[in-house]
């Protein structure tokens, strides 16, 4: 087995500076990438098993039913690169269909990534696996030297792109051209616009797992930034905003309260929000336009039950299924 794990050091400092900046802003906000400490990763895996949150299951079913067609459209590649790979569960089917020589996985949750990538490497003896524990949103340039030569596919499933505004998504997709390299492609999965009650239920599951995931952010800050949030004095509040085309996830203060974080104090008014996540939903044509403004051209498109996969390259030949 060929496996290497490289952890990039700056993550702790960024958590502190980004959280303090977000709490000092109006409205207060914290970037959603900070959900994913070890407990947050486990809670996210549990969200994906909730009956109301169908996104992950539908994407898996779509990949399973269309994989031969998708693999044929991609063709021969040497390397799959997956930013935000998490527990590495989604990329396995693609590895088996495309037989690349290399896999490069990146995630801010370095420990979860390293454990998952080690087991994946153990199951694929011929595959050279590189796991990079890094904030790929800011440190993508540092990943360049770990990419092997040859034709590469960037795989970005799970509607992770929805956690960026359309402007940010365009910037991210432009930077993914560097990961993909010359003659590179990108396969991207995203949630489609649909009835708001379905979306509302998906982010307000009856078992309260999404609420626990949202509130864990406060507990993480207590653990890692010496904060003194009382999660019982905040309420998970998620809703679909049809004008912006996104789920908004908030933590609403249930009291007038002052909280200390990393030695600084922040006042919350009763009913004030701490914004924790946007999760954009798209129409297929909207996403094609976002990708086009980042220099990507649609090569293939597959859809099922409110979820879409689109394949892009720099050429101009479209396959629809
Ligand atoms: C990771 N991301 C695509 C998920 C989403 O649907 O936006 C995160 C999530 N937040 C609440 N539930 C799931």
């Amino acid at each position: 087995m060929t496996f290497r794990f490289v952890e990039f050091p700056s993550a702790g400092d960024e958590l502190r500076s980004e959280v303090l900046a977000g709490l000092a802003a109006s409205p207060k906000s914290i970037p959603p990438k900070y959900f994913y400490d070890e407990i947050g990763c486990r809670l996210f895996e549990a969200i994906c098993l909730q009956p109301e949150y169908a996104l992950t299951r539908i994407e898996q079913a779509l990949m399973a039913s269309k994989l031969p067609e998708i693999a044929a459209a991609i063709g021969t590649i040497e390397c799959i690169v997956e930013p935000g790979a998490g527990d590495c569960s989604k990329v396995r089917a693609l590895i088996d269909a495309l037989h690349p020589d290399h896999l490069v996985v990146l995630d801010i949750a370095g420990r979860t990534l390293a454990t998952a990538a080690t087991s994946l490497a153990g199951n694929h003896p011929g595959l050279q696996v590189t796991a990079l524990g890094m904030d790929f949103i800011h440190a993508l340039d540092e990943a360049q030297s770990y990419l092997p030569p040859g034709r590469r596919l960037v795989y970005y499933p799970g509607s992770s792109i929805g956690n960026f505004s359309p402007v940010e998504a365009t910037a991210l997709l432009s930077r993914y051209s560097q990961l993909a390299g010359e003659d590179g492609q990108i396969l991207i999965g995203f949630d489609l616009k649909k009835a708001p009650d379905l979306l509302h239920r998906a982010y307000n599951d009856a078992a309260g797992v999404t609420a626990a995931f949202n509130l864990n952010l406060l507990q993480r800050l207590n653990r890692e930034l010496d904060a003194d949030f009382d999660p019982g004095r905040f309420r998970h509040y998620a809703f679909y905003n049809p004008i912006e085309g996104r789920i908004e996830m908030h933590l609403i203060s249930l009291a007038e309260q002052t909280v200390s974080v990393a030695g600084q104090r922040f006042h919350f008014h009763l009913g004030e929000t701490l914004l924790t996540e946007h999760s954009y939903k798209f129409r297929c044509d909207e996403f094609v336009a976002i990708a086009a403004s980042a220099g990507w051209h649609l090569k293939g498109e597959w859809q099922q039950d409110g979820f879409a996969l689109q394949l892009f390259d720099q050429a101009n030949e479209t396959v629809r299924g």
Side-chain angles (χ1 to χ4, degrees), residues 36 44 47 53 55 158-160 163 203 210 213 249 277 279 281:
Y36 301 95
F44 180 62
I47 287 175
Y53 192 82
L55 189 160
S159 206
S160 297
N163 295 138
Y203 292 81
T210 307
F213 173 73
M249 224 156 77
E277 185 175 64
S279 188
K281 312 298 168 185

Side-chain angles (χ1 to χ4, degrees), residues 16-229:
R16 184 179 183 284
S17 60
E18 290 194 78
V19 166
L20 291 177
L23 289 174
S26 180
K28 294 179 172 65
S29 67
I30 294 182
K33 64 185 176 184
Y34 293 124
F35 281 133
Y36 301 95
D37 65 347
E38 270 185 87
I39 296 173
C41 288
R42 284 207 298 276
L43 285 167
F44 180 62
E45 284 167 28
I47 287 175
C48 295
L49 300 175
Q50 296 312 299
E52 299 92 336
Y53 192 82
L55 189 160
T56 315
R57 284 186 297 282
I58 295 171
E59 181 174 41
Q60 276 165 359
L62 180 58
M63 281 294 282
S65 69
K66 300 290 182 186
L67 196 52
E69 219 177 282
I70 294 170
I74 293 168
T76 306
I77 53 153
E78 272 73 48
C79 177
I80 300 176
V81 185
E82 187 183 358
D87 65 1
C88 297
S89 57
K90 297 189 178 104
V91 75
R92 287 171 187 266
L94 263 187
I95 293 169
D96 294 338
L98 295 170
H99 308 292
D101 297 327
H102 297 264
L103 172 72
V104 179
V105 285
L106 303 86
D107 205 292
I108 193 170
R111 200 139 16 121
T112 300
L113 181 74
T115 310
T118 312
S119 107
L120 191 144
N123 296 334
H124 295 83
L127 184 68
Q128 299 193 32
V129 179
T130 302
L132 304 177
M134 59 150 53
D135 177 0
F136 62 87
I137 297 160
H138 290 154
L140 217 47
D141 297 342
E142 296 174 43
Q144 289 300 318
S145 57
Y146 295 91
L147 300 172
R151 203 159 174 250
R152 299 193 289 263
L153 171 77
V154 175
Y155 181 43
Y156 202 44
S159 206
S160 297
I161 195 71
N163 295 138
F164 300 90
S165 72
V167 169
E168 292 166 338
T170 304
L172 192 63
L173 293 180
S174 301
R175 300 182 70 212
Y176 281 178
S177 322
Q178 296 163 34
L179 286 185
E182 204 181 317
D183 201 20
Q185 302 174 75
I186 179 161
L187 178 65
I188 188 151
F190 56 89
D191 207 11
L192 291 167
K193 286 194 165 123
K194 51 180 70 75
D197 50 332
L198 279 178
L199 288 168
H200 186 89
R201 280 201 289 276
Y203 292 81
N204 291 280
D205 59 277
V209 182
T210 307
F213 173 73
N214 201 4
L215 287 160
N216 176 60
L217 190 55
L218 303 181
Q219 280 146 335
R220 177 178 187 180
L221 303 187
N222 289 351
R223 285 189 291 267
E224 295 185 30
L225 292 182
D226 198 22
D228 60 359
F229 282 101

